[in-house]
């Protein structure tokens, strides 16, 4: 309908571009429908990760009274890792649902879905270590003594959002080394927009 409106107004370039963009979106929708096996595997992987995190969480709870459990890296740090991984799994599930509904699931990002929980665990722990090291305060105040809830929330958010994690690291780097903060990154789950120009507007080789 938009292309026809452009044709009526003799805006031929706009009409060609509209048709090309519509074709791109239709092809992406067909690719999403054709990637049902990959989407199923991502969903199964996410559920297995959640079950694993629940089992590990229960096991760590049992180890709270065991002295050697705190001697290996520190029990509380393992819990920060789990919260970061939980944030990573959450964004994987959210991204899978969102891009399935929007019909723009891209199989090129399967590696992101696979490694996001691991990356979330690492970024969650790093964000907490930054706060514990005194480089950053939660809401402008220090973390309450004896309360781990704010740190668990930070670990989850850092695992959930790359923008949140990079913003924390960028603030610390700016505070230590100076300079201007870098702009915030793009969406956590990238969506590839139509790029280039319609085929009709591209020059032929040697033309």
């Amino acid at each position: 309908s938009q292309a026809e409106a452009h044709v009526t107004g003799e805006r031929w370039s706009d009409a060609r571009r509209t048709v090309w963009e519509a074709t791109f979106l239709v092809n992406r929708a067909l690719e999403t429908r054709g990637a049902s096996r990959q989407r199923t595997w991502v969903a199964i992987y996410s559920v297995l990760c959640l079950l694993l995190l629940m089992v590990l969480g229960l096991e760590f709870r049992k180890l709270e009274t065991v002295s050697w459990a705190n001697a290996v890296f520190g029990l509380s740090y393992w819990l920060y890792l789990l919260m970061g991984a939980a944030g990573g799994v959450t964004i994987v599930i959210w991204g899978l649902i969102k891009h399935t509904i929007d019909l723009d699931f891209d199989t090129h990002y399967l590696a992101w879905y696979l490694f996001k929980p691991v990356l979330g665990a690492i970024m969650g722990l790093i964000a907490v270590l930054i706060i514990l090291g005194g480089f950053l305060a939660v809401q402008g105040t220090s973390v309450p003594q004896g309360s781990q809830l704010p740190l668990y929330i930070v670990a989850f958010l850092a695992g959930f959002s790359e923008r949140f994690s990079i913003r924390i690291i960028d603030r610390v780097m700016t505070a230590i080394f100076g300079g201007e903060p870098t702009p915030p990154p793009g969406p956590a789950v990238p969506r590839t927009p139509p790029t280039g120009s319609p085929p009709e507007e591209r020059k032929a080789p040697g033309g």
Side-chain angles (χ1 to χ4, degrees), residues 2-154:
Q2 293 177 7
E4 289 177 350
H6 290 316
V7 170
T8 302
E10 296 186 354
R11 297 186 296 272
W12 311 114
S13 296
D14 292 337
R16 287 196 299 269
R17 181 171 294 277
T18 301
V19 171
W20 173 75
E21 290 178 352
T23 303
F24 175 89
L25 295 176
V26 169
N27 290 335
R28 176 56 60 83
L30 293 175
E31 291 175 1
T32 300
R33 293 292 177 87
S36 59
R37 178 177 299 180
Q38 291 89 335
R39 289 187 285 115
T40 301
W41 279 112
V42 171
I44 295 174
Y45 171 73
S46 302
V47 173
L48 292 177
C49 286
L50 284 178
L51 293 176
L52 177 60
L53 292 176
M54 291 176 62
V55 171
L56 290 176
L58 293 175
E59 290 299 321
F60 282 135
R61 295 266 312 191
K62 296 177 182 179
L63 295 176
E64 288 181 348
T65 57
V66 181
S67 58
W68 64 264
N70 292 302
V72 183
F73 188 57
L75 181 60
S76 60
Y77 293 105
W78 288 108
L79 296 177
Y80 300 143
L81 281 170
L82 289 184
M83 290 301 297
V89 175
T90 303
I91 189 62
V92 166
I93 296 174
W94 178 84
L96 176 63
I97 295 174
K98 179 181 184 299
H99 291 291
T100 298
I101 294 176
D102 292 345
L103 293 177
D104 60 355
F105 181 82
D106 194 339
T107 56
H108 290 91
Y109 293 106
L110 285 177
W112 181 90
Y113 288 99
L114 179 63
F115 291 106
K116 177 57 181 174
V118 178
L119 180 61
I122 296 173
M123 297 306 296
L125 178 60
I126 290 176
V128 171
L129 291 177
I130 288 174
I131 293 176
L132 292 177
F135 293 102
L136 191 66
V138 179
Q139 295 183 346
T141 61
S142 59
V143 178
Q145 296 294 328
S147 175
Q148 297 296 319
L149 182 59
L151 295 179
Y152 291 147
I153 294 176
V154 169

